[in-house]
Amino acid sequence: MRFALTCWLIWCLTVAPASAWNFTGHKVIASIAFQRLTAEEQGKVVAALRRHPRFAQDFAEAMPAEIQNANETTQNEWFFQQAAVWPDMIRSGSPERKAFGRGEWHYVNVPLFLSDSARAELAGKLTVNVATEPPEGANLDTPSMNVTQAINLGRRVVKDRQASPADRAVMLAWLVHCVGDVHQPLHGAAMFSIKLFPEGDRGGNSVKTKQNGNLHALWDGLLGRDDEFRAARNAALKLAANEELSRLGKESQSVLDQVTWRDESHHLAAANVYTTEVIDALRKMEAAGSVAEISLSEDYLKSGGRIAERRVVQAGFRLGELLKSLVD
């Protein structure tokens, strides 16, 4: 049985698509947040989303028939899930849809260093954007912001009654997504080294792994690949019903500072993503001057799965609390 479960986990990691937390992870976070709101609060969030300039094309028309025939609560939860994945959806499609894309808003590459010598040689030369405040005059058309800045701006715009309803709706979708993104450890860190990654490993995207292609994609897919609405909702219910995870979520929801969320992810990346197992492999590659594929251990995968569950629960509880404050 243990062997069978291990094979299943590795299969999930191998086939899961690669976009932040993948669609499954983002939808689970959205459903956890949805469950934290009252029916009135849920309705207010969806009412705001309905002012989205692409609500008809990317939300209403995309709703599956079985959800169209369901009750209002189910439909509202589907809209939450759709908002959570919309910023990844718009990476493809028509030029009109892609125009809303903001590639840099999904992550922040806070540096980690493969060695002390790399830190000494590179630290003063890096041009990585780790700012926490949006640039002066930033708005929806400002492309060069990291995820921390994007959340900061999103909170301001969504709460700003002087902003247009369309802008507030677009930023609401981005906010739902980015709160999820910043809780993924590799959206808060990048590894730098002198030979392999002088400009960073792009949050693990440049680290090849046997499971799922690269380190970033592996962590994105730790919750599996079934992103169907009911599967994601049931996963959210199961995680929230876990006594330990529920307690963690409730403890975490009082911490609503996006810089703290970023720092948590950065520390997890240092301790639990770039483990001794990964660092040793990278240092061998650094010495050889070439990148090779890493085959990660069963213990690494299991540990990663537990961390992923904890992070999506934290993200869901915090997103719920944040949405409560915004709709109020």
Side-chain angles (χ1 to χ4, degrees), residues 128-256:
V128 180
N129 175 19
V130 294
T132 58
E133 291 291 325
E136 186 176 353
N139 55 39
L140 273 71
D141 296 321
T142 305
S144 299
M145 290 193 296
N146 62 46
V147 67
T148 318
Q149 293 173 300
I151 294 173
N152 194 327
L153 178 64
R155 295 172 74 158
R156 298 180 194 178
V157 172
V158 173
K159 205 167 181 65
D160 182 6
R161 298 296 189 259
Q162 301 304 311
S164 73
D167 283 357
R168 292 173 66 197
V170 171
M171 285 305 302
L172 177 58
W174 269 105
L175 193 59
V176 172
H177 181 84
C178 287
V179 170
D181 272 353
V182 79
H183 282 80
Q184 207 271 53
L186 281 171
H187 280 254
M191 179 63 66
F192 290 77
S193 73
I194 297 170
K195 293 181 181 179
L196 291 180
F197 312 121
E199 296 182 1
D201 71 349
R202 302 184 303 121
N205 277 288
S206 299
V207 179
K208 297 180 181 179
T209 58
K210 182 177 180 181
Q211 297 91 348
N212 218 21
N214 66 69
L215 196 61
H216 189 106
L218 184 145
W219 277 82
D220 279 349
L222 281 169
L223 291 181
R225 64 187 294 269
D226 191 347
D227 61 3
E228 189 271 331
F229 167 76
R230 298 189 197 289
R233 181 181 64 179
N234 290 340
L237 289 168
K238 182 177 180 180
L239 289 171
N242 179 289
E243 186 175 338
E244 179 184 350
L245 292 176
S246 178
R247 182 167 59 250
L248 172 66
K250 290 174 182 176
E251 292 170 354
S252 300
Q253 68 185 11
S254 62
V255 181
L256 297 181

Side-chain angles (χ1 to χ4, degrees), residues 23-134:
F23 277 22
T24 302
H26 277 294
K27 288 184 176 183
V28 170
I29 291 168
S31 278
I32 292 174
F34 182 85
Q35 295 156 16
R36 305 298 302 164
L37 305 183
T38 66
E40 181 182 6
E41 290 164 342
Q42 294 164 0
K44 287 182 178 180
V45 174
V46 173
L49 283 174
R50 288 184 181 277
R51 310 301 291 274
H52 195 294
R54 290 196 58 83
F55 185 83
Q57 305 96 320
D58 295 344
F59 290 80
E61 294 173 10
M63 180 180 285
E66 63 270 22
I67 305 299
Q68 293 177 20
N69 295 323
N71 59 37
E72 182 180 5
T73 300
T74 299
Q75 292 179 1
N76 284 348
E77 185 169 0
W78 186 91
F79 285 131
F80 264 62
Q81 289 191 8
Q82 192 74 348
V85 298
W86 181 77
D88 278 340
M89 288 171 48
I90 58 177
R91 295 181 179 187
S92 61
S94 68
E96 292 78 13
R97 184 162 90 164
K98 290 168 68 175
F100 288 93
R102 301 289 180 266
E104 295 182 25
W105 287 20
H106 296 265
Y107 63 90
V108 53
N109 287 331
V110 182
L112 293 169
F113 296 93
L114 189 58
S115 64
D116 290 339
S117 58
R119 183 186 301 274
E121 182 168 335
L122 298 173
K125 302 175 183 178
L126 301 182
T127 57
V128 180
N129 175 19
V130 294
T132 58
E133 291 291 325

